[in-house]
Amino acid sequence: MILWTIQTEEAWEQLNKKGCITGVMDYIEPSWLSSYHWMMQQMKDRIGSPPCKHLFPVWAWYQWDSSNRKKPDLRSAGHLPKNVKGVRIEFSCDKNAGLLSDFTLWHYVLNYWYLPESMADDEKFDAEIKKQGTTYFEAKPHPTPKIHQKIVRSWNKIFDLDWDKTDISVPKYQKSIQATIWQLRMEQVRSCKHFKAR
């Protein structure tokens, strides 16, 4: 499959020099670290263990905006901090070496939200939480193991790219689909486009 990753020019230089780049913990928002660890465990379970211990994922796009706009548009803001020089790297990846997930639904994981089956399921879960006098996104992890497990299990839906529910998820052709890989090797690179972030 063809993927695109947005990286800094420094990462591009490292890829050229060392022949490989991996994810770096230093760039992760501290409040998201547990979400990244969850994704890393999913990667181990679904595509296999990293080539060496303590690797963080390299993030890429399979489908940036929709099936009609798969490649990230460098005219858009938000790829990197404003005015930072970066690169959009197009590369090939074996289907078994990359884990695809719904980018919008990934925010349920980042924010420790319950990902409901339906709006009715969402209301039922909220009512269950209110009975306990707690909120599931303020206590991380939730102090009740049963509720914590229910929240975490709900996140598995981010990997079902055919799953769409009104008011929760959209059809696959409309999704932004991200990919996580353990490492990017120079021999995978097909092209590179330099840009300055807007």
Side-chain angles (χ1 to χ4, degrees):
M1 62 183 166
I2 305 302
L3 302 175
W4 294 268
T5 184
I6 302 292
Q7 300 290 333
T8 62
E9 283 201 339
E10 290 79 14
W12 174 244
E13 289 168 7
Q14 181 183 349
L15 181 57
N16 278 276
K17 184 178 179 179
K18 296 185 176 180
C20 176
I21 58 171
T22 61
V24 179
M25 181 179 167
D26 297 346
Y27 299 125
I28 301 171
E29 166 66 39
S31 65
W32 293 346
L33 200 54
S34 63
S35 301
Y36 274 62
H37 282 292
W38 177 83
M39 180 61 88
M40 290 158 65
Q41 185 59 54
Q42 295 300 311
M43 291 172 70
K44 289 176 186 175
D45 294 344
R46 295 166 188 264
I47 63 172
S49 296
C52 57
K53 290 183 179 179
H54 311 301
L55 283 189
F56 281 81
V58 174
W59 295 79
W61 291 105
Y62 172 77
Q63 188 167 292
W64 175 67
D65 184 56
S66 66
S67 60
N68 292 327
R69 299 178 70 199
K70 296 185 88 168
K71 179 167 55 175
D73 186 343
L74 299 179
R75 297 168 295 182
S76 296
H79 294 302
L80 291 170
K82 190 172 181 177
N83 293 323
V84 169
K85 291 181 179 179
V87 291
R88 180 186 63 204
I89 303 169
E90 180 178 301
F91 65 100
S92 57
C93 178
D94 187 274
K95 286 186 178 182
N96 298 323
L99 179 58
L100 302 181
S101 60
D102 185 315
F103 173 71
T104 301
L105 298 183
W106 163 242
H107 290 77
Y108 282 81
V109 182
L110 287 177
N111 292 294
Y112 194 74
W113 296 335
Y114 174 65
L115 179 51
E117 289 286 346
S118 64
M119 294 311 294
D121 180 39
D122 191 41
E123 291 170 11
K124 181 181 175 184
F125 185 75
D126 281 345
E128 182 182 350
I129 294 295
K130 284 178 184 174
K131 280 182 188 176
Q132 296 188 351
T134 62
T135 59
Y136 59 91
F137 52 87
E138 288 177 1
K140 302 176 186 181
H142 194 278
T144 305
K146 182 180 175 185
I147 290 176
H148 170 70
Q149 290 165 6
K150 186 172 183 177
I151 293 168
V152 172
R153 277 196 310 271
S154 78
W155 298 339
N156 285 315
K157 290 188 282 294
I158 76 170
F159 303 111
D160 182 355
L161 300 177
D162 294 315
W163 186 73
D164 69 277
K165 293 287 180 180
T166 304
D167 298 324
I168 302 172
S169 181
V170 296
K172 184 177 181 179
Y173 75 93
Q174 293 179 335
K175 291 181 187 290
S176 291
I177 301 173
Q178 61 186 1
T180 48
I181 60 173
W182 289 121
Q183 61 181 350
L184 173 60
R185 299 181 314 280
M186 193 65 196
E187 59 262 29
Q188 295 174 267
V189 174
R190 293 163 51 100
S191 67
C192 174
K193 173 76 174 174
H194 294 260
F195 71 100
K196 183 185 276 190
R198 298 185 177 199

